[in-house]
Amino acid sequence: MTNIISMSSLTLGFQDIDKTKLDVVGGKGANLGELIKIEGIQVPDGFCISTEAFKRIIEETSSIKELLDQLSLLKVADRGKIGELSGEIRRVIEGITIPQDIHSAITYLLSKFGEKDAYAVRSSATAEDLPTASFAGQQDTYLNIIGKEAILKHISKCWASLFTERAVIYRLKNGFNHRKVHLAVVVQKMVFPQAAGILFTADPVTGNGKVLSIDASFGLGEAMVSGLVNADNYKVCNGKVIDKKISAKKVAIYPLKDGGTKEQEIETERQHRQALTDEQILQLERMGRKIEAHFGHPQDIEWCLVDDAFFIVQSRPITTLYPIPEANDQENHVYVSVGHQQMMTNAMKPLGLSFFLLTTRAPMRKAGGRLFVDVTQMLALPDSRRNLLNVMGGHDPLMKDALVTIVARGDFIKLSPDDKEEQRPGNSNKDTSSAGFQTEFENNPTIIADLIKRSQTSIAALKQNIQAKSGPDLFDFILEDLQELKKILFDPQSHRVIMAAMNASLWLNEKMKEWLGEKNAADTLSQSVPNNITSEMGLALLDVADAIRPYPAIIDYLQQVKDDNFLDELAKVSGGEETQEAIYAYLNKYGMRCAGEIDITKARWSEKPATLVPLILSNIKNFEPNASTRKFEQGRKEALKKEQTLLDRLAPLPDGEQKAEETKRVIDLIRNFIGYREYPKYGMVNRYFAYKQAILQEAEQLVQAKVIHQKEDIYYLTFEELREVVRTHKLDYQIIRKRKDEYKIYEKLTPPRVITSDGEIIAGAYKRENLPAGAIVGLAVSPGVIAGRARVILNMEDADLEDGDILVTSFTDPSWTPLFVSIKGLITEVGGLMTHGAVIAREYGLPAVVGVENATKLIKDGQRIRMNGTDGYVEIL
């Protein structure tokens, strides 16, 4: 039996619509209803056919239901089947006779608005034009449709367009359920413009919210949208046109008298004329700002110019902009990404963010599930600016270049009046000669042993004391212990050791280039140094492989492992106890590590030991027994040989004896101290895991008390919020739901290295010449030239490496180190000279190129490539 629905629930005039009607009229419809309410904004009149009508069509046609059942089982890869099923669904929808009550509701409104007028008929989906997903261009639009029958036919075509192949694939990729996305249809009076186009209230290329960008061409905007014609582009900022690109507009699309559209050539003398006058451009700017203020978010607006009046036919949020870190004032700010420095650019959950904020001393802001350091104050003073740029040069040269670009503008950062500092004697060339190291630092390896011992003693005490804590006391205890963690992380002596080793490396590279013409000498000398906890971790996993190698039954068993309980079952298999012992010993020392370990909410290896299984199997397959000792020894010999060669070559030079002596001192300093650089983070992650285990016990209590549904829900609360929930056993569950949705959005964003308070993303660039044609540029961090098969791996668990592969990934934090023993070279999208991947690559003697923009997209898995770790580029062979 047909549902009887009132006429008003089937069709709504724009004036009866606002943003609360999203489910009824879809994104486009809801936005038109809002636009019509803004004073001074003209919108062509019209109405919407609600999603109720669409649902009726779907629900009352059994063949569509069956086809949707089949469609829901498909994956993105099933292209052929998607094409077949979606084509069938469209044919069925277009063939259905529109039910009488829906037909009547539409024809009634058409007679009211003017049956003989021309209309645009557009799809409006409930999941499009949202702040989270644009779905732009997914469904269809039909222009200049005249006559009742033609309009009804095109309404059916709009309904069917929900199932074009590209719309189905878009939903599959973005995790939208086909049955949950409904379609309304917008029927809007046509306007016949002299010019039309799109207005972005924030520059879509740079993200700058103060710069408005307008595309304009003659005739209907379709010529531009469909790529038929190059549009003019105007950039406007604060009532001034700051940039214009006038394109040759050779064709335009115009409406035909009896319906439909035609392409028409534009007379030669008009082709290079501005589609809008400067006055009109500024008028559009004012309208754009008004619309943006109404929606509270940067907008992508479609406009038409008719007889000197602007009509707005659509407005939607710009979904591609990265959110701006929030400031407490109206001043200019510059923010740099923490993720690019910590080798973890993925989004973090709220609990992870708040722990990192409690650990750091830097002025940080959150945006898009990531952290950014506000470096405005540092850039304002010459000395601190110089230090910042030096540090950034080591972390990430693209970041440094972006900051230099901002400083060079001169007007964005207010410099402190004390610019005379620049001229002070001795300020510009800080003494990084080895004599400088000696006065500052006694080259004494026991310093490292003491620092490590202090950290270990402190962690042992924490693990002991935290067991007795629970409830709100636990949170007070953690806050206190975080002070201890900060003391260790920012210990001046620890910092001096790391800086001494880094400065020694820089000195050595500089002097060997000057004295011997030798590039990056320190890289080979950093191989197989003592006390590097991260590179030891990679070698220790080779020892685990050795312990398992004698037991074929265990190797078979491990190849079948699916879940994390495999360790309990091991005892039943021959060699199981020995395997358990080896894996548990490894986890005892390194089990608190994982990919993205600065986010406390990420699953650690101890919580998810199956992560290590593919790496262990790969070590068994790719290496002979005792490989860890051989690898370490080989690196040590290479370093010592390099040292001897340098000293021998220095001896015959003028002042050769003194130069050799000085160089020997610096090499000893590098080899004694450079390994320690990895230790403070290991200590931090150790503490994080102790906190996490204690907090998860509290979460268990909350689950039992039915305050939360599952333990992992606590990851969506900040530290303070969780403390309060533990104290009161009260929680508004909406918060968790909302944050889970936000996190899904944040996961898809790519964080910028540098962003300003205007939302402008500043991209740095490498300054390079004389590269081979087609070379992909990055930063050379570990020397050597090597060719091999590229393995593009985004998750460590998916690593299936053969000996001789080159690893290509977005970033590597310490947890990736066990993979480094199997590869011949490393390429990452993020990184600098002193970031983890680079340090470990040098220590293992692996050629490495980091900071290669879009490496995981430009290089395809399985391609043969040649990488040059000496000059910093990659070639696809």
Side-chain angles (χ1 to χ4, degrees), residues 558-693:
L558 289 179
Q559 276 161 343
Q560 313 307 317
V561 164
K562 289 281 181 287
D563 62 33
D564 293 307
N565 305 331
F566 75 94
L567 281 168
D568 309 336
E569 302 293 312
L570 269 174
K572 300 174 188 165
V573 187
S574 166
E577 282 177 23
E578 292 82 348
T579 300
Q580 264 180 340
E581 205 174 301
I583 293 177
Y584 278 128
Y586 187 83
L587 290 174
N588 213 11
K589 190 162 184 190
Y590 304 110
M592 77 300 295
R593 309 220 86 154
C594 67
E597 61 190 12
I598 63 167
D599 181 351
I600 201 170
T601 70
K602 294 267 195 247
R604 313 280 137 180
W605 291 342
S606 289
E607 297 170 295
K608 211 178 162 191
T611 309
L612 296 173
V613 171
L615 307 184
I616 294 169
L617 290 170
S618 151
N619 285 347
I620 293 171
K621 178 179 73 177
N622 291 332
F623 295 99
E624 295 295 312
N626 209 19
S628 71
T629 310
R630 274 199 312 281
K631 264 187 172 298
F632 189 81
E633 230 2 76
Q634 184 193 344
R636 203 175 67 85
K637 280 186 182 141
E638 278 180 32
L640 293 175
K641 188 174 144 205
K642 181 69 159 180
E643 175 181 330
Q644 204 46 57
T645 312
L646 293 176
L647 298 177
D648 291 348
R649 287 174 63 197
L650 287 170
L653 299 180
D655 297 332
E657 204 175 306
Q658 192 194 333
K659 282 176 176 154
E661 211 175 288
E662 205 173 0
T663 300
K664 170 71 176 139
R665 273 207 307 269
V666 174
I667 290 173
D668 287 349
L669 198 138
I670 291 172
R671 290 198 61 76
N672 283 337
F673 289 164
I674 198 92
Y676 173 74
R677 183 203 173 286
E678 293 289 303
Y679 204 88
K681 191 169 189 182
Y682 171 73
M684 170 180 132
V685 173
N686 244 307
R687 291 189 112 85
Y688 269 22
F689 191 39
Y691 303 153
K692 182 183 187 179
Q693 288 171 300

Side-chain angles (χ1 to χ4, degrees), residues 54 58-59 61-74 85 89 163 171 177-179:
F54 174 78
I58 301 295
E59 279 162 16
T61 316
S62 56
S63 59
I64 296 181
K65 281 185 172 163
E66 283 157 30
L67 291 164
L68 278 176
D69 287 341
Q70 292 174 49
L71 197 60
S72 64
L73 303 173
L74 299 182
L85 280 175
I89 294 173
F163 297 99
R171 289 198 292 274
N177 181 334
H178 301 303
R179 291 178 181 282

